[in-house]
Amino acid sequence: MSSTKEEQMYKHKNIRSSERVWLCCCFSFALSSSPIVAVTPEIMAAVRRALRFPASRAASAACGSGAAGAAGVDICNCGADLGRPIPRPDLLACSDLEEGTLPWRIQMYGAALYWHVASVPGDQHGTLDLNMLRGKDVLEVGCMRGGGARYLATVAGTRSYVATDIEDEHIELCRRRWLPSGDVRHPGGLRFEVAAAAKLAEVYPADCFDFVLCVQSIALFADPEGFVRSARHVLRPGGRLVICEALSRRHLQKLLTSVEGAGLVCDAVNDLSGAVNSVGFCNIVGERSYVHLIASKG
């Protein structure tokens, strides 16, 4: 999935309305969720032109109702080019997505980041465990549109995959899109539920999940430390908390302190900045790093 710099921008000047809405959602999310994630200037300029937004509004446009109206793309993160094929790319295909366009690339690279989270158990990028989630009970916190949850639940062989978000609108959208008939037999035991990140203990009993995943959402949480404590509560002994997020050194240290304070053991902190920057959607520079953190409950 390599491309030239020009291909990282819009291939067509006149993008479809569904692309406009979703691109606004995704990139404003990246900017508003964390002060240390920066969308490349070329892409932001293209988004502003397509949306006819002034610069100030392009960075702050809400992605709630916009996300609900966008067709096709359902994975919203910076994406990562990790040089490995992903399983079942056909699951990501959609009649609303034209191969090679920016929304299509966001979908594919976003799924690649999810697959990395699901298959790299430690600090060695080359060491893969393709069955890491197989037969496991997984909780995702901050699932947004649910595309990553649906993808992993289908390809990773989970026993159950509970995808949560604090926004009722997001969960209703996920249920309509992925479980239209209320089908509880979705591959991987996928279901969507409303839950606050810092109050998981009020929704789920102790020791009930093998993995808690949080992919580029923790920067939005009002109480990240509370989330880490909640994650420990719901994890079984030996269970793992996996976080991906762009963080400054100060915020990373704060997160590591929270992990230690919650009684979790930090197994690995991987820097994915190069893989994220190579995609071209977000710039991770200076003292910032795109972190893949894995912590376990003893």
Side-chain angles (χ1 to χ4, degrees), residues 70-95:
V73 179
D74 45 61
I75 300 178
C76 186
N77 59 56
C78 286
D81 184 357
L82 296 147
R84 293 190 294 269
I86 60 174
R88 297 289 310 275
D90 57 290
L91 290 172
L92 306 168
C94 176
S95 60

Side-chain angles (χ1 to χ4, degrees), residues 106-226:
I106 292 170
Q107 180 89 330
M108 293 297 170
Y109 282 118
L113 180 60
Y114 264 93
W115 180 239
H116 182 81
V117 165
S119 60
V120 175
D123 58 2
Q124 299 298 321
H125 289 195
T127 302
L128 302 180
D129 181 358
L130 303 184
N131 294 309
M132 190 171 84
L133 300 187
R134 187 166 300 279
K136 304 299 184 182
D137 296 311
V138 177
L139 175 70
E140 181 181 349
V141 182
C143 69
M144 295 289 287
R145 300 191 74 191
R150 177 255 189 174
Y151 178 68
L152 286 190
T154 305
V155 303
T158 57
R159 180 167 65 176
S160 67
Y161 195 116
V162 182
T164 67
D165 200 280
I166 195 172
E167 297 291 342
D168 295 286
E169 181 183 4
H170 292 168
I171 295 303
E172 286 304 313
L173 171 68
C174 291
R175 288 171 177 166
R176 289 197 306 269
R177 186 168 177 83
W178 305 123
L179 305 173
S181 301
D183 188 0
V184 297
R185 296 169 296 175
H186 189 282
L190 178 65
R191 67 181 193 267
F192 296 95
E193 297 177 352
V194 176
K199 298 181 179 180
L200 299 176
E202 297 180 8
V203 182
Y204 305 107
D207 306 335
C208 62
F209 291 104
D210 300 297
F211 285 87
V212 175
L213 310 182
C214 184
V215 181
Q216 206 168 310
S217 290
I218 194 171
L220 285 172
F221 297 164
D223 183 6
E225 294 82 4

Side-chain angles (χ1 to χ4, degrees), residues 19-42:
E19 294 176 353
R20 293 181 181 182
V21 175
W22 191 86
L23 287 167
C24 170
C25 163
C26 185
F27 290 127
S28 63
F29 166 76
L31 285 174
S32 62
S33 66
S34 174
I36 50 77
V37 178
V39 176
T40 55
E42 295 91 345

